[in-house]
Amino acid sequence: IKEREKNNFKLFTEDMNYHFYRKMMIEKELREAVERNEFELYYQPLADIDTGLVSGMEALLRWKNKTLGVVSPAEFIPIAEETGLIIPIGEWVLKSACEQAFNWQQMGYRPLKVGVNISIRQLLDKNFLKKVATVVENSKLDPRYIDLEVTESIAMHDSDEMISKLYRLKEIGVSLSMDDFGTGYSSLSYLKKYPLDTLKIDQSFIRNITKKKDNQAIVNSIISMAKHLNLKVTAEGVENKEEYQFLSNLHCDFVQGYDISRPLNAEDFENNILVTN
Ligand code: C2E
Ligand code: CA
Ligand code: CA
Ligand code: CA
């Protein structure tokens, strides 16, 4: 038993070292990733549930590094947030997404709203409003085609300052979505204080919705609450026709997920999703 405990401890510390080392590597490489042009945006379509027509897209960050290879956002975004690197990275994302959306409109494709993920670190940055205003203006994209996706973590900073910041973002002309709705915060009182346009129901509630009664109850309630609050609802992670149909019966507004399309690089999105006017 002694021997085994010793071995377990050795495995445990090796594991710790590995994670520590990997995190350090990611942080080190992340520092130079913007300058080295290692990021790319993928785009995933959102569809109007009634017509099935693509009505928007979400920009999703991809990172390919020469030593680490492809690192998933689930791994590097938290590290970028912890280190504050998300501020320059997020600015690159917003700028690139706006430029891409503007270029596609210039090329004569039917305009789509582009969703950009905004981390709480960015929102708390005192220069954030000015940056958004500048980036949007420089891109020449009409701000009504920009949707900023924030998470419920903003509700933990329940200050008048956060509320007024969101109102000032709305004054720029962008819309606001609450991402991963239902996972982050227990109080719903923020819903009446914040100037939100859309709730994006987290994919964990959509998973197996055709079979799981509890998910059905939750999603049904979110949708009817949203209607009363005059908010649109997007269901995330819709993977098949059965889920799509089920959500349509619940009068969800928009769907996003593998059933419509996986996230695609700009070229594939242009060739397979965009339509001309
Ligand atoms: P998210 O904002 O909730 O984005 C949706 C995630 O679900 C994406 O993962 C997308 O590829 C995935 N997804 C879409 N449809 C389906 C589906 O039908 N089934 C399943 N199983 N998954 C689906 P991705 O691209 O790996 O991004 C993960 C998370 O990383 C994002 O979750 C977001 O929180 C964060 N992220 C990605 N790009 C950015 C960014 O530019 N800035 C910030 N701050 N965070 C980002
Ligand atoms: Ca999102
Ligand atoms: Ca989400
Ligand atoms: Ca509808």
Side-chain angles (χ1 to χ4, degrees), residues 232-260:
K232 297 284 183 204
V233 183
T234 300
E236 299 192 274
V238 178
E239 294 189 347
N240 54 57
K241 291 278 168 281
E242 291 70 37
E243 288 167 359
Y244 188 115
Q245 190 53 50
F246 196 92
L247 289 156
S248 170
N249 294 340
L250 294 183
H251 303 293
C252 183
D253 298 296
F254 304 104
V255 281
Q256 178 180 359
Y258 296 165
D259 179 56
I260 311 290

PDB file of all heavy atoms in Angstrom, residues 232-260:
ATOM      1  N   LYS A 232     -35.399  38.506 -27.525  1.00  0.00           N
ATOM      2  CA  LYS A 232     -35.337  37.391 -28.465  1.00  0.00           C
ATOM      3  C   LYS A 232     -34.598  36.230 -27.804  1.00  0.00           C
ATOM      4  O   LYS A 232     -33.831  36.416 -26.863  1.00  0.00           O
ATOM      5  CB  LYS A 232     -34.598  37.807 -29.733  1.00  0.00           C
ATOM      6  CG  LYS A 232     -35.291  38.911 -30.509  1.00  0.00           C
ATOM      7  CD  LYS A 232     -36.475  38.342 -31.265  1.00  0.00           C
ATOM      8  CE  LYS A 232     -37.159  39.407 -32.109  1.00  0.00           C
ATOM      9  NZ  LYS A 232     -38.560  39.053 -32.372  1.00  0.00           N
ATOM     10  N   VAL A 233     -34.835  35.026 -28.346  1.00  0.00           N
ATOM     11  CA  VAL A 233     -34.163  33.848 -27.791  1.00  0.00           C
ATOM     12  C   VAL A 233     -33.451  33.069 -28.884  1.00  0.00           C
ATOM     13  O   VAL A 233     -34.046  32.745 -29.917  1.00  0.00           O
ATOM     14  CB  VAL A 233     -35.165  32.896 -27.099  1.00  0.00           C
ATOM     15  CG1 VAL A 233     -34.424  31.722 -26.473  1.00  0.00           C
ATOM     16  CG2 VAL A 233     -35.977  33.625 -26.053  1.00  0.00           C
ATOM     17  N   THR A 234     -32.191  32.772 -28.642  1.00  0.00           N
ATOM     18  CA  THR A 234     -31.433  31.888 -29.528  1.00  0.00           C
ATOM     19  C   THR A 234     -31.114  30.617 -28.765  1.00  0.00           C
ATOM     20  O   THR A 234     -30.680  30.684 -27.613  1.00  0.00           O
ATOM     21  CB  THR A 234     -30.108  32.556 -29.958  1.00  0.00           C
ATOM     22  OG1 THR A 234     -30.394  33.762 -30.652  1.00  0.00           O
ATOM     23  CG2 THR A 234     -29.292  31.632 -30.871  1.00  0.00           C
ATOM     24  N   ALA A 235     -31.342  29.464 -29.369  1.00  0.00           N
ATOM     25  CA  ALA A 235     -30.939  28.198 -28.757  1.00  0.00           C
ATOM     26  C   ALA A 235     -29.580  27.806 -29.321  1.00  0.00           C
ATOM     27  O   ALA A 235     -29.401  27.754 -30.540  1.00  0.00           O
ATOM     28  CB  ALA A 235     -31.964  27.107 -29.046  1.00  0.00           C
ATOM     29  N   GLU A 236     -28.627  27.552 -28.453  1.00  0.00           N
ATOM     30  CA  GLU A 236     -27.288  27.161 -28.884  1.00  0.00           C
ATOM     31  C   GLU A 236     -27.146  25.650 -28.894  1.00  0.00           C
ATOM     32  O   GLU A 236     -27.816  24.945 -28.134  1.00  0.00           O
ATOM     33  CB  GLU A 236     -26.242  27.691 -27.896  1.00  0.00           C
ATOM     34  CG  GLU A 236     -26.175  29.170 -27.733  1.00  0.00           C
ATOM     35  CD  GLU A 236     -24.910  29.544 -26.972  1.00  0.00           C
ATOM     36  OE1 GLU A 236     -24.937  29.537 -25.737  1.00  0.00           O
ATOM     37  OE2 GLU A 236     -23.893  29.804 -27.637  1.00  0.00           O
ATOM     38  N   GLY A 237     -26.264  25.153 -29.739  1.00  0.00           N
ATOM     39  CA  GLY A 237     -25.934  23.730 -29.725  1.00  0.00           C
ATOM     40  C   GLY A 237     -27.044  22.839 -30.246  1.00  0.00           C
ATOM     41  O   GLY A 237     -27.222  21.716 -29.771  1.00  0.00           O
ATOM     42  N   VAL A 238     -27.803  23.329 -31.223  1.00  0.00           N
ATOM     43  CA  VAL A 238     -28.863  22.514 -31.839  1.00  0.00           C
ATOM     44  C   VAL A 238     -28.200  21.566 -32.842  1.00  0.00           C
ATOM     45  O   VAL A 238     -27.606  22.008 -33.816  1.00  0.00           O
ATOM     46  CB  VAL A 238     -29.906  23.404 -32.536  1.00  0.00           C
ATOM     47  CG1 VAL A 238     -30.980  22.569 -33.211  1.00  0.00           C
ATOM     48  CG2 VAL A 238     -30.523  24.370 -31.527  1.00  0.00           C
ATOM     49  N   GLU A 239     -28.271  20.272 -32.559  1.00  0.00           N
ATOM     50  CA  GLU A 239     -27.468  19.321 -33.341  1.00  0.00           C
ATOM     51  C   GLU A 239     -28.258  18.514 -34.358  1.00  0.00           C
ATOM     52  O   GLU A 239     -27.664  17.876 -35.223  1.00  0.00           O
ATOM     53  CB  GLU A 239     -26.687  18.393 -32.399  1.00  0.00           C
ATOM     54  CG  GLU A 239     -25.633  19.150 -31.603  1.00  0.00           C
ATOM     55  CD  GLU A 239     -24.696  18.245 -30.825  1.00  0.00           C
ATOM     56  OE1 GLU A 239     -24.996  17.038 -30.694  1.00  0.00           O
ATOM     57  OE2 GLU A 239     -23.654  18.763 -30.344  1.00  0.00           O
ATOM     58  N   ASN A 240     -29.581  18.472 -34.252  1.00  0.00           N
ATOM     59  CA  ASN A 240     -30.333  17.675 -35.228  1.00  0.00           C
ATOM     60  C   ASN A 240     -31.733  18.236 -35.461  1.00  0.00           C
ATOM     61  O   ASN A 240     -32.193  19.134 -34.765  1.00  0.00           O
ATOM     62  CB  ASN A 240     -30.403  16.209 -34.769  1.00  0.00           C
ATOM     63  CG  ASN A 240     -30.967  16.099 -33.360  1.00  0.00           C
ATOM     64  OD1 ASN A 240     -32.073  16.565 -33.093  1.00  0.00           O
ATOM     65  ND2 ASN A 240     -30.207  15.493 -32.459  1.00  0.00           N
ATOM     66  N   LYS A 241     -32.402  17.665 -36.449  1.00  0.00           N
ATOM     67  CA  LYS A 241     -33.731  18.132 -36.874  1.00  0.00           C
ATOM     68  C   LYS A 241     -34.768  17.993 -35.774  1.00  0.00           C
ATOM     69  O   LYS A 241     -35.676  18.821 -35.661  1.00  0.00           O
ATOM     70  CB  LYS A 241     -34.202  17.310 -38.088  1.00  0.00           C
ATOM     71  CG  LYS A 241     -33.407  17.576 -39.351  1.00  0.00           C
ATOM     72  CD  LYS A 241     -33.896  18.824 -40.072  1.00  0.00           C
ATOM     73  CE  LYS A 241     -32.914  19.251 -41.162  1.00  0.00           C
ATOM     74  NZ  LYS A 241     -31.723  19.990 -40.653  1.00  0.00           N
ATOM     75  N   GLU A 242     -34.642  16.938 -34.950  1.00  0.00           N
ATOM     76  CA  GLU A 242     -35.624  16.720 -33.883  1.00  0.00           C
ATOM     77  C   GLU A 242     -35.563  17.864 -32.873  1.00  0.00           C
ATOM     78  O   GLU A 242     -36.594  18.393 -32.445  1.00  0.00           O
ATOM     79  CB  GLU A 242     -35.369  15.382 -33.174  1.00  0.00           C
ATOM     80  CG  GLU A 242     -35.652  14.134 -34.005  1.00  0.00           C
ATOM     81  CD  GLU A 242     -34.662  13.917 -35.151  1.00  0.00           C
ATOM     82  OE1 GLU A 242     -33.461  14.209 -34.953  1.00  0.00           O
ATOM     83  OE2 GLU A 242     -35.082  13.476 -36.239  1.00  0.00           O
ATOM     84  N   GLU A 243     -34.320  18.247 -32.513  1.00  0.00           N
ATOM     85  CA  GLU A 243     -34.163  19.360 -31.569  1.00  0.00           C
ATOM     86  C   GLU A 243     -34.687  20.656 -32.188  1.00  0.00           C
ATOM     87  O   GLU A 243     -35.370  21.450 -31.533  1.00  0.00           O
ATOM     88  CB  GLU A 243     -32.683  19.512 -31.163  1.00  0.00           C
ATOM     89  CG  GLU A 243     -32.200  18.397 -30.254  1.00  0.00           C
ATOM     90  CD  GLU A 243     -30.684  18.344 -30.104  1.00  0.00           C
ATOM     91  OE1 GLU A 243     -29.958  19.159 -30.713  1.00  0.00           O
ATOM     92  OE2 GLU A 243     -30.216  17.443 -29.378  1.00  0.00           O
ATOM     93  N   TYR A 244     -34.359  20.856 -33.446  1.00  0.00           N
ATOM     94  CA  TYR A 244     -34.820  22.045 -34.172  1.00  0.00           C
ATOM     95  C   TYR A 244     -36.339  22.133 -34.125  1.00  0.00           C
ATOM     96  O   TYR A 244     -36.929  23.153 -33.761  1.00  0.00           O
ATOM     97  CB  TYR A 244     -34.327  21.971 -35.620  1.00  0.00           C
ATOM     98  CG  TYR A 244     -34.560  23.215 -36.452  1.00  0.00           C
ATOM     99  CD1 TYR A 244     -33.483  23.955 -36.932  1.00  0.00           C
ATOM    100  CD2 TYR A 244     -35.851  23.643 -36.780  1.00  0.00           C
ATOM    101  CE1 TYR A 244     -33.686  25.095 -37.713  1.00  0.00           C
ATOM    102  CE2 TYR A 244     -36.062  24.778 -37.549  1.00  0.00           C
ATOM    103  CZ  TYR A 244     -34.985  25.496 -38.019  1.00  0.00           C
ATOM    104  OH  TYR A 244     -35.188  26.619 -38.782  1.00  0.00           O
ATOM    105  N   GLN A 245     -37.010  21.016 -34.487  1.00  0.00           N
ATOM    106  CA  GLN A 245     -38.469  20.987 -34.515  1.00  0.00           C
ATOM    107  C   GLN A 245     -39.063  21.241 -33.131  1.00  0.00           C
ATOM    108  O   GLN A 245     -40.019  21.996 -32.976  1.00  0.00           O
ATOM    109  CB  GLN A 245     -38.950  19.635 -35.073  1.00  0.00           C
ATOM    110  CG  GLN A 245     -40.442  19.587 -35.367  1.00  0.00           C
ATOM    111  CD  GLN A 245     -40.897  20.740 -36.254  1.00  0.00           C
ATOM    112  OE1 GLN A 245     -40.312  21.001 -37.300  1.00  0.00           O
ATOM    113  NE2 GLN A 245     -41.937  21.470 -35.816  1.00  0.00           N
ATOM    114  N   PHE A 246     -38.445  20.615 -32.154  1.00  0.00           N
ATOM    115  CA  PHE A 246     -38.919  20.776 -30.782  1.00  0.00           C
ATOM    116  C   PHE A 246     -38.876  22.242 -30.359  1.00  0.00           C
ATOM    117  O   PHE A 246     -39.827  22.776 -29.793  1.00  0.00           O
ATOM    118  CB  PHE A 246     -38.076  19.916 -29.828  1.00  0.00           C
ATOM    119  CG  PHE A 246     -38.714  19.718 -28.499  1.00  0.00           C
ATOM    120  CD1 PHE A 246     -39.533  18.616 -28.259  1.00  0.00           C
ATOM    121  CD2 PHE A 246     -38.535  20.647 -27.481  1.00  0.00           C
ATOM    122  CE1 PHE A 246     -40.152  18.446 -27.038  1.00  0.00           C
ATOM    123  CE2 PHE A 246     -39.149  20.481 -26.254  1.00  0.00           C
ATOM    124  CZ  PHE A 246     -39.961  19.380 -26.026  1.00  0.00           C
ATOM    125  N   LEU A 247     -37.754  22.906 -30.682  1.00  0.00           N
ATOM    126  CA  LEU A 247     -37.588  24.321 -30.315  1.00  0.00           C
ATOM    127  C   LEU A 247     -38.528  25.221 -31.103  1.00  0.00           C
ATOM    128  O   LEU A 247     -39.008  26.238 -30.600  1.00  0.00           O
ATOM    129  CB  LEU A 247     -36.133  24.744 -30.538  1.00  0.00           C
ATOM    130  CG  LEU A 247     -35.165  24.124 -29.529  1.00  0.00           C
ATOM    131  CD1 LEU A 247     -33.750  24.075 -30.085  1.00  0.00           C
ATOM    132  CD2 LEU A 247     -35.215  24.880 -28.209  1.00  0.00           C
ATOM    133  N   SER A 248     -38.814  24.810 -32.331  1.00  0.00           N
ATOM    134  CA  SER A 248     -39.748  25.559 -33.149  1.00  0.00           C
ATOM    135  C   SER A 248     -41.140  25.528 -32.512  1.00  0.00           C
ATOM    136  O   SER A 248     -41.843  26.537 -32.452  1.00  0.00           O
ATOM    137  CB  SER A 248     -39.761  24.970 -34.557  1.00  0.00           C
ATOM    138  OG  SER A 248     -40.794  25.517 -35.304  1.00  0.00           O
ATOM    139  N   ASN A 249     -41.516  24.363 -31.988  1.00  0.00           N
ATOM    140  CA  ASN A 249     -42.814  24.245 -31.316  1.00  0.00           C
ATOM    141  C   ASN A 249     -42.885  25.106 -30.052  1.00  0.00           C
ATOM    142  O   ASN A 249     -43.964  25.533 -29.650  1.00  0.00           O
ATOM    143  CB  ASN A 249     -43.101  22.778 -30.961  1.00  0.00           C
ATOM    144  CG  ASN A 249     -43.275  21.907 -32.201  1.00  0.00           C
ATOM    145  OD1 ASN A 249     -43.548  22.427 -33.289  1.00  0.00           O
ATOM    146  ND2 ASN A 249     -43.091  20.604 -32.044  1.00  0.00           N
ATOM    147  N   LEU A 250     -41.732  25.329 -29.444  1.00  0.00           N
ATOM    148  CA  LEU A 250     -41.696  26.173 -28.242  1.00  0.00           C
ATOM    149  C   LEU A 250     -41.604  27.665 -28.597  1.00  0.00           C
ATOM    150  O   LEU A 250     -41.504  28.503 -27.721  1.00  0.00           O
ATOM    151  CB  LEU A 250     -40.507  25.794 -27.348  1.00  0.00           C
ATOM    152  CG  LEU A 250     -40.507  24.417 -26.685  1.00  0.00           C
ATOM    153  CD1 LEU A 250     -39.280  24.280 -25.781  1.00  0.00           C
ATOM    154  CD2 LEU A 250     -41.775  24.181 -25.876  1.00  0.00           C
ATOM    155  N   HIS A 251     -41.585  27.973 -29.896  1.00  0.00           N
ATOM    156  CA  HIS A 251     -41.504  29.359 -30.376  1.00  0.00           C
ATOM    157  C   HIS A 251     -40.220  30.070 -29.995  1.00  0.00           C
ATOM    158  O   HIS A 251     -40.207  31.258 -29.669  1.00  0.00           O
ATOM    159  CB  HIS A 251     -42.719  30.177 -29.923  1.00  0.00           C
ATOM    160  CG  HIS A 251     -44.003  29.569 -30.380  1.00  0.00           C
ATOM    161  ND1 HIS A 251     -44.358  29.513 -31.711  1.00  0.00           N
ATOM    162  CD2 HIS A 251     -44.973  28.934 -29.691  1.00  0.00           C
ATOM    163  CE1 HIS A 251     -45.512  28.884 -31.812  1.00  0.00           C
ATOM    164  NE2 HIS A 251     -45.908  28.513 -30.618  1.00  0.00           N
ATOM    165  N   CYS A 252     -39.141  29.319 -30.072  1.00  0.00           N
ATOM    166  CA  CYS A 252     -37.810  29.906 -29.971  1.00  0.00           C
ATOM    167  C   CYS A 252     -37.602  30.746 -31.244  1.00  0.00           C
ATOM    168  O   CYS A 252     -38.230  30.471 -32.269  1.00  0.00           O
ATOM    169  CB  CYS A 252     -36.817  28.759 -29.899  1.00  0.00           C
ATOM    170  SG  CYS A 252     -35.118  29.238 -29.677  1.00  0.00           S
ATOM    171  N   ASP A 253     -36.779  31.806 -31.186  1.00  0.00           N
ATOM    172  CA  ASP A 253     -36.628  32.681 -32.354  1.00  0.00           C
ATOM    173  C   ASP A 253     -35.512  32.239 -33.307  1.00  0.00           C
ATOM    174  O   ASP A 253     -35.703  32.215 -34.517  1.00  0.00           O
ATOM    175  CB  ASP A 253     -36.330  34.117 -31.902  1.00  0.00           C
ATOM    176  CG  ASP A 253     -37.473  34.675 -31.074  1.00  0.00           C
ATOM    177  OD1 ASP A 253     -38.577  34.812 -31.624  1.00  0.00           O
ATOM    178  OD2 ASP A 253     -37.261  34.951 -29.871  1.00  0.00           O
ATOM    179  N   PHE A 254     -34.349  31.936 -32.748  1.00  0.00           N
ATOM    180  CA  PHE A 254     -33.190  31.602 -33.586  1.00  0.00           C
ATOM    181  C   PHE A 254     -32.506  30.330 -33.081  1.00  0.00           C
ATOM    182  O   PHE A 254     -32.588  30.004 -31.894  1.00  0.00           O
ATOM    183  CB  PHE A 254     -32.158  32.748 -33.569  1.00  0.00           C
ATOM    184  CG  PHE A 254     -32.734  34.074 -33.990  1.00  0.00           C
ATOM    185  CD1 PHE A 254     -33.030  35.053 -33.051  1.00  0.00           C
ATOM    186  CD2 PHE A 254     -32.991  34.340 -35.334  1.00  0.00           C
ATOM    187  CE1 PHE A 254     -33.576  36.274 -33.427  1.00  0.00           C
ATOM    188  CE2 PHE A 254     -33.538  35.563 -35.724  1.00  0.00           C
ATOM    189  CZ  PHE A 254     -33.828  36.528 -34.770  1.00  0.00           C
ATOM    190  N   VAL A 255     -31.866  29.644 -34.006  1.00  0.00           N
ATOM    191  CA  VAL A 255     -31.103  28.456 -33.627  1.00  0.00           C
ATOM    192  C   VAL A 255     -29.673  28.566 -34.154  1.00  0.00           C
ATOM    193  O   VAL A 255     -29.417  29.158 -35.199  1.00  0.00           O
ATOM    194  CB  VAL A 255     -31.715  27.143 -34.161  1.00  0.00           C
ATOM    195  CG1 VAL A 255     -32.877  26.706 -33.309  1.00  0.00           C
ATOM    196  CG2 VAL A 255     -32.116  27.268 -35.620  1.00  0.00           C
ATOM    197  N   GLN A 256     -28.772  27.953 -33.398  1.00  0.00           N
ATOM    198  CA  GLN A 256     -27.359  27.897 -33.779  1.00  0.00           C
ATOM    199  C   GLN A 256     -26.857  26.513 -33.396  1.00  0.00           C
ATOM    200  O   GLN A 256     -27.211  26.004 -32.342  1.00  0.00           O
ATOM    201  CB  GLN A 256     -26.594  28.983 -32.999  1.00  0.00           C
ATOM    202  CG  GLN A 256     -25.108  29.016 -33.263  1.00  0.00           C
ATOM    203  CD  GLN A 256     -24.405  30.122 -32.462  1.00  0.00           C
ATOM    204  OE1 GLN A 256     -25.034  30.872 -31.727  1.00  0.00           O
ATOM    205  NE2 GLN A 256     -23.091  30.204 -32.614  1.00  0.00           N
ATOM    206  N   GLY A 257     -26.073  25.909 -34.248  1.00  0.00           N
ATOM    207  CA  GLY A 257     -25.553  24.588 -33.895  1.00  0.00           C
ATOM    208  C   GLY A 257     -25.205  23.770 -35.113  1.00  0.00           C
ATOM    209  O   GLY A 257     -25.427  24.188 -36.247  1.00  0.00           O
ATOM    210  N   TYR A 258     -24.677  22.577 -34.858  1.00  0.00           N
ATOM    211  CA  TYR A 258     -24.185  21.720 -35.935  1.00  0.00           C
ATOM    212  C   TYR A 258     -25.278  21.354 -36.929  1.00  0.00           C
ATOM    213  O   TYR A 258     -25.002  21.033 -38.073  1.00  0.00           O
ATOM    214  CB  TYR A 258     -23.553  20.447 -35.354  1.00  0.00           C
ATOM    215  CG  TYR A 258     -22.329  20.694 -34.503  1.00  0.00           C
ATOM    216  CD1 TYR A 258     -21.829  19.684 -33.659  1.00  0.00           C
ATOM    217  CD2 TYR A 258     -21.660  21.921 -34.523  1.00  0.00           C
ATOM    218  CE1 TYR A 258     -20.704  19.900 -32.874  1.00  0.00           C
ATOM    219  CE2 TYR A 258     -20.543  22.144 -33.735  1.00  0.00           C
ATOM    220  CZ  TYR A 258     -20.070  21.124 -32.907  1.00  0.00           C
ATOM    221  OH  TYR A 258     -18.956  21.322 -32.131  1.00  0.00           O
ATOM    222  N   ASP A 259     -26.543  21.373 -36.501  1.00  0.00           N
ATOM    223  CA  ASP A 259     -27.619  21.057 -37.439  1.00  0.00           C
ATOM    224  C   ASP A 259     -27.655  22.054 -38.599  1.00  0.00           C
ATOM    225  O   ASP A 259     -27.964  21.684 -39.728  1.00  0.00           O
ATOM    226  CB  ASP A 259     -28.978  21.049 -36.733  1.00  0.00           C
ATOM    227  CG  ASP A 259     -30.106  20.731 -37.719  1.00  0.00           C
ATOM    228  OD1 ASP A 259     -30.035  19.673 -38.369  1.00  0.00           O
ATOM    229  OD2 ASP A 259     -31.027  21.553 -37.861  1.00  0.00           O
ATOM    230  N   ILE A 260     -27.368  23.323 -38.310  1.00  0.00           N
ATOM    231  CA  ILE A 260     -27.306  24.330 -39.371  1.00  0.00           C
ATOM    232  C   ILE A 260     -25.936  24.230 -40.029  1.00  0.00           C
ATOM    233  O   ILE A 260     -25.823  24.017 -41.228  1.00  0.00           O
ATOM    234  CB  ILE A 260     -27.506  25.762 -38.814  1.00  0.00           C
ATOM    235  CG1 ILE A 260     -28.730  25.848 -37.904  1.00  0.00           C
ATOM    236  CG2 ILE A 260     -27.560  26.792 -39.942  1.00  0.00           C
ATOM    237  CD1 ILE A 260     -30.051  25.733 -38.603  1.00  0.00           C
TER     238      ILE A 260
END
